[in-house]
Amino acid sequence: MKIVRVEDYDKMSRTAANIISAQVILKPTSVLGLATGSTPIGVYQQLIKWYEKGDLDFSQVTTINLDEYKGLSPEDAHSYKYYMRDAFHKHINIKPENIHLPNGLAEDPDAECRRYDDVIQNSGGVDTQLLGIGHNGHIGFNEPGSVFHRDTYVTDLTSRTLEANNRFFSKEDVQPVSAYTMGIKAIMQAKRIVVIVSGKSKAAILNTALNGPIDPQVPASILQIHNDVTLIADQDALSYL
Ligand code: F6R
């Protein structure tokens, strides 16, 4: 694993955006695996800036997101489809048919999981996967558990994750308690993984994920055995290492 230590969130965002833009420039038909949450916002903002300058072209790029809340429509402001549209997709020239997220409203969740695995498979696989890490070590919504799940599945969100994400929901909103997530196999099959981590609150789990045993109780620990992971983290996030 390559570890790139940066000063702060801005530098982390620009460094990760550099890797993604190199990926898109060198391979215009790239398949990007994307994440939501607070951490990647700065990466998306930087990529949009370079796109607006004319340096990036997303017309042949495919994006495949890690996860989506079960039960939310794409129009719901809390859905990840909405987040991605707002934070990234509507600002660039990506084709709508090349944007993939699980369908939170699918009537048959099992069929939806298989459909999503087919999307990943038929795309030819993810070239560069952008990942954040949850405070409990989750990647995507692969929560701590007794096994690493292979394929896309519906998972119940842990109280830790619900608590961490309730900042995005107001009192009147109903916060979903389950989500579709790409399995560990698809994440680990990405040719390259870029992990971004910022802030003191992630320092302990980052240390456990990198230096502890590979254990499904710390899903991010599986990244230790991928052969092309670049961790870009700020000083605060790396303060326990
Ligand atoms: C969301 C996702 C999650 C987040 C993680 C960290 O698509 O994949 O694993 O990366 O929950 O979230 P933030 O960045 O909000 O701390």
Side-chain angles (χ1 to χ4, degrees):
M1 182 179 300
K2 292 174 216 117
I3 300 181
V4 183
R5 179 187 286 263
V6 293
E7 278 150 46
D8 55 21
Y9 179 84
D10 278 357
K11 195 79 208 308
M12 175 201 77
S13 303
R14 267 184 291 131
T15 308
N18 256 310
I19 296 176
I20 294 172
S21 62
Q23 170 73 56
V24 170
I25 289 165
L26 293 173
K27 184 179 175 193
T29 58
S30 288
V31 178
L32 303 178
L34 298 181
T36 59
S38 316
T39 316
I41 290 284
V43 178
Y44 297 139
Q45 285 173 347
Q46 186 62 69
L47 290 171
I48 292 166
K49 274 190 201 145
W50 287 331
Y51 166 73
E52 286 171 347
K53 267 183 71 193
D55 291 343
L56 287 177
D57 174 15
F58 291 92
S59 61
Q60 298 179 77
V61 166
T62 294
T63 63
I64 302 184
N65 266 78
L66 286 163
D67 40 21
E68 177 60 286
Y69 284 119
K70 184 164 180 282
L72 293 193
S73 97
E75 308 313 323
D76 188 307
H78 299 103
S79 73
Y80 286 165
K81 175 89 181 181
Y82 188 101
Y83 166 108
M84 286 306 301
R85 189 163 58 236
D86 199 49
F88 191 43
H89 289 136
K90 76 175 182 192
H91 304 281
I92 58 171
N93 65 336
I94 188 165
K95 295 198 177 100
E97 62 270 29
N98 290 347
I99 296 172
H100 302 284
L101 288 95
N103 173 8
L105 290 184
E107 275 178 19
D108 180 342
D110 286 341
E112 178 57 13
C113 292
R114 301 295 71 80
R115 181 195 72 82
Y116 208 59
D117 285 332
D118 288 346
V119 164
I120 300 164
Q121 182 84 23
N122 296 339
S123 73
V126 171
D127 290 300
T128 294
Q129 174 69 55
L130 183 64
L131 279 187
I133 294 184
H135 291 97
N136 60 4
H138 72 210
I139 48 176
F141 272 140
N142 290 277
E143 297 280 47
S146 52
V147 290
F148 289 112
H149 288 262
R150 281 165 54 94
D151 300 317
T152 302
Y153 66 107
V154 175
T155 181
D156 292 331
L157 302 175
T158 60
S159 50
R160 189 90 197 270
T161 296
L162 291 170
E163 208 177 289
N165 286 355
N166 74 11
R167 68 192 193 278
F168 297 115
F169 294 83
S170 71
K171 275 208 184 106
E172 302 79 56
D173 297 323
V174 180
Q175 186 177 359
V177 292
S178 59
Y180 290 91
T181 183
M182 224 187 237
I184 292 292
K185 185 182 81 177
I187 295 174
M188 289 299 281
Q189 280 182 342
K191 294 173 191 104
R192 172 204 274 157
I193 298 179
V194 176
V195 188
I196 47 175
V197 192
S198 170
K200 270 240 148 59
S201 70
K202 298 273 176 78
I205 194 63
L206 185 58
N207 185 38
T208 308
L210 296 193
N211 293 320
I214 297 171
D215 180 349
Q217 287 297 338
V218 184
S221 63
I222 194 81
L223 299 172
Q224 292 178 30
I225 56 170
H226 191 282
N227 64 11
D228 191 351
V229 177
T230 303
L231 167 70
I232 306 165
D234 62 18
Q235 324 250 36
D236 284 346
L238 288 171
S239 56
Y240 279 40
L241 251 78

